[in-house]
Amino acid sequence: MMLTLPQLSALVLFYTFSLVLIGYLAYQSFKKVRFSFHLLFTLVYLLTFYLGFPFSMILAFGFNVQTLPFETLFLTLFSALAFYILYYAAYKVRLLPNKALLFSKQNQPNLPTARQLSASEGIISGVILLAIALVTIGLFFSLNGLLLFKLDSYSQIFSQSVSGTALKRFFYFFLPALLIFYFLKPTKLNWLLFLLFGVGFGVLTYLLVGGTRANIALAVAIFFFIGISKNYISIMTLAIAGAVAIVAMFGLALARYSLDVSGSEAFYTFLYLTRDTFSPWENLALLFSYYQQIEFQGLAPIVRDFYVFIPKELWENRPDLVVNAANYFTWEVLNYYAGLAISPTLLGSFLIMGGIPFMILGAMVCGWLIKGMDFLYQYGKSAVNRSNGAIIQAYVFANIFNVIVLVREGIDAFVSRFVFFSLIFIAAVLIAKLTVLLFRQTGCVRLKPVEISRLKIESKKEND
């Protein structure tokens, strides 16, 4: 179906209004604080639901690509704006009075202890996470070699011919380890080293897994978000880097799918690949077009998404085909069985689980969730204990990946990954704390009198 000029005008006007309103709210937040998870959520939300609209219109009017009916497209844009407004309202609601903020410095202990003098807990936590990533990478390589040079198509990554696919979920802990090391000594040099080692890790996993670009993009994204928070770079630099990243991701996609295109065909390929990769907003429109046929799944997709983390050895009858929101959308709605799961987006996952009421409730849940992450981030920044502060900041920054998953993939994919990541991360930290405690109790770690005196003087100055 082709849109008429009045219909296109109405869509463009509402799209522009939505973009200006969300952008204005984001700018007001940015003036108060340079980085927050609220701003991150907003950025990913804009990319997911608004970047693709111009691409879709160019494809429709420049390449005669059929579009969904005007009513469906308008409903999609309207629901995206309404969801964000509800999210924003929930985020702005103050749950605790200012005087109850736990990260207030006046609530921090002012007597020096061995915990405040040493970065041992942070270093050991980082080493444990680093070991988890490197050991699982080594095991995956021993089982499969470099898949990029072995597989003929990208969809084979998810086939039964690849061994040890569960190991891929542990690769990501390389980045949280780097984050801990950075936040223990947050200098500009260490910031640049994070980029160097993070991108190197992303390239390695790209070769190992056979074309997955996520770890490269995540390392670069975290690098730039740290740069924004520390005032190392400007918003304009971030925008330019984002544009370059889109082109780079397009180049990697051409290589991954073995596409040889040029001229107008290359421009057409750039439009639809970039839209589907960064802004799958039309997937939500498709869900609205099939709304009457959807059998609401309730909370089942969240429970089912945990199945992939349970080894067959522990659950012999575990289903091989997990019907989470993405697979329900792919199989039951689109009737597509090519081996890839198509993202329903955050709004789509709520739509699949319970329709419009779940979307309304979900917007408020997202607002409270992001507010909680910002609270934890500020607590980590203000922590007197250097090691604890580094660990907390690393934990929340590592969840940038999960926030991206939340907006792009859906609430079910977010919950399972968030719980899995948190359990492994917390376990590593607890092991590190127990190790340091054991050493201190056996007398291996002691404070020199001069260090105690120095910290008392510094603590007195801060209190004065």
Side-chain angles (χ1 to χ4, degrees):
M1 177 179 293
M2 294 301 295
L3 298 172
T4 64
L5 185 58
Q7 290 175 337
L8 175 63
S9 300
L11 288 175
V12 170
L13 284 174
F14 189 80
Y15 170 81
T16 305
F17 169 75
S18 303
L19 209 56
V20 169
L21 178 59
I22 296 175
Y24 172 77
L25 295 175
Y27 178 69
Q28 294 301 313
S29 297
F30 179 76
K31 287 197 302 183
K32 296 179 181 178
V33 56
R34 286 185 62 83
F35 174 82
S36 67
F37 278 84
H38 163 59
L39 288 171
L40 171 65
F41 178 91
T42 301
L43 176 61
V44 179
Y45 194 89
L46 285 170
L47 288 174
T48 302
F49 295 103
Y50 291 94
L51 176 68
F53 176 78
F55 292 179
S56 296
M57 296 302 101
I58 295 172
L59 286 169
F61 289 91
F63 295 92
N64 296 318
V65 175
Q66 294 294 310
T67 67
L68 290 168
F70 164 77
E71 295 78 10
T72 303
L73 296 179
F74 187 84
L75 177 60
T76 303
L77 292 176
F78 177 81
S79 65
L81 179 61
F83 186 97
Y84 185 84
I85 291 174
L86 288 171
Y87 152 83
Y88 186 81
Y91 177 84
K92 285 296 181 180
V93 171
R94 180 173 292 170
L95 301 179
L96 293 172
N98 284 339
K99 63 181 180 181
L101 291 178
L102 297 178
F103 53 78
S104 174
K105 286 190 175 181
Q106 65 184 6
N107 293 330
Q108 300 285 356
N110 54 23
L111 293 177
T113 65
R115 291 169 63 95
Q116 294 170 334
L117 284 175
S118 174
S120 301
E121 293 176 359
I123 292 173
I124 296 174
S125 299
V127 169
I128 292 173
L129 294 173
L130 200 64
I132 290 172
L134 293 178
V135 168
T136 52
I137 285 173
L139 289 174
F140 189 84
F141 175 75
S142 67
L143 293 172
N144 300 287
L146 299 177
L147 289 178
L148 185 66
F149 305 109
K150 291 184 176 183
L151 302 180
D152 298 322
S153 64
Y154 179 70
S155 61
Q156 288 181 286
I157 293 175
F158 309 99
S159 67
Q160 298 294 328
S161 61
V162 177
S163 302
T165 54
L167 295 173
K168 293 189 292 184
R169 302 182 188 104
F170 295 92
F171 295 176
Y172 178 69
F173 289 100
F174 188 93
L175 291 180
L178 292 184
L179 283 169
I180 291 177
F181 298 144
Y182 166 76
F183 282 114
L184 283 171
K185 192 175 182 181
T187 64
K188 201 165 187 177
L189 174 61
N190 288 340
W191 176 59
L192 295 172
L193 288 175
F194 172 85
L195 177 66
L196 176 65
F197 287 106
V199 171
F201 158 75
V203 172
L204 174 62
T205 56
Y206 183 84
L207 297 173
L208 279 171
V209 178
T212 299
R213 303 162 291 168
N215 286 324
I216 299 176
L218 281 170
V220 174
I222 293 173
F223 169 80
F224 276 105
F225 288 133
I226 291 176
I228 289 291
S229 68
K230 297 294 184 180
N231 207 18
Y232 293 152
I233 58 175
S234 65
I235 289 295
M236 183 57 66
T237 303
L238 179 63
I240 294 172
V244 172
I246 288 175
V247 175
M249 290 296 103
F250 171 64
L252 288 174
L254 291 181
R256 183 177 69 176
Y257 295 118
S258 302
L259 298 175
D260 184 14
V261 292
S262 60
S264 60
E265 185 182 6
F267 183 54
Y268 170 82
T269 305
F270 170 78
L271 289 173
Y272 83 76
L273 278 182
T274 303
R275 181 198 63 189
D276 293 351
T277 299
F278 292 97
S279 186
W281 78 286
E282 285 197 9
N283 292 353
L284 176 60
L286 280 169
L287 274 167
F288 276 121
S289 68
Y290 287 98
Y291 187 75
Q292 299 301 326
Q293 303 174 29
I294 295 175
E295 295 181 9
F296 299 137
Q297 301 294 297
L299 298 178
I302 295 177
V303 176
R304 294 168 186 157
D305 208 69
F306 279 97
Y307 291 178
V308 297
F309 296 97
I310 304 175
K312 273 281 190 180
E313 292 77 11
L314 297 179
W315 185 9
E316 186 177 349
N317 296 323
R318 189 199 73 187
D320 292 323
L321 302 177
V322 178
V323 187
N324 54 16
N327 285 333
Y328 179 86
F329 174 55
T330 305
W331 300 334
E332 303 298 329
V333 177
L334 301 181
N335 198 29
Y336 181 75
Y337 297 92
L340 295 175
I342 300 176
S343 167
T345 73
L346 172 63
L347 276 67
S349 67
F350 284 123
L351 200 66
I352 288 171
M353 288 193 287
I356 303 298
F358 261 55
M359 290 179 67
I360 296 172
L361 177 62
M364 294 186 290
V365 169
C366 289
W368 296 326
L369 172 67
I370 299 300
K371 190 178 185 71
M373 296 182 76
D374 273 331
F375 179 88
L376 191 59
Y377 174 56
Q378 292 300 324
Y379 180 85
K381 285 179 64 177
S382 303
V384 173
N385 188 312
R386 174 187 170 196
S387 184
N388 282 351
I391 289 170
I392 293 171
Q393 289 182 82
Y395 171 76
V396 291
F397 258 89
N399 271 298
I400 285 176
F401 168 67
N402 290 325
V403 172
I404 295 172
V405 168
L406 171 67
V407 181
R408 193 183 184 283
E409 305 296 332
I411 188 66
D412 54 324
F414 166 80
V415 171
S416 62
R417 284 157 181 78
F418 177 77
V419 170
F420 173 75
F421 168 74
S422 297
L423 288 176
I424 300 297
F425 190 95
I426 292 171
V429 172
L430 288 177
I431 292 172
K433 287 183 178 294
L434 289 173
T435 302
V436 172
L437 181 62
L438 179 63
F439 274 98
R440 284 174 179 155
Q441 287 184 341
T442 56
C444 296
V445 178
R446 294 183 183 276
L447 294 180
K448 298 178 181 179
V450 65
E451 291 176 325
I452 296 177
S453 299
R454 177 175 58 81
L455 276 182
K456 284 182 177 179
I457 293 171
E458 292 178 356
S459 179
K460 186 176 185 304
K461 288 181 179 179
E462 288 183 1
N463 291 334
D464 293 340

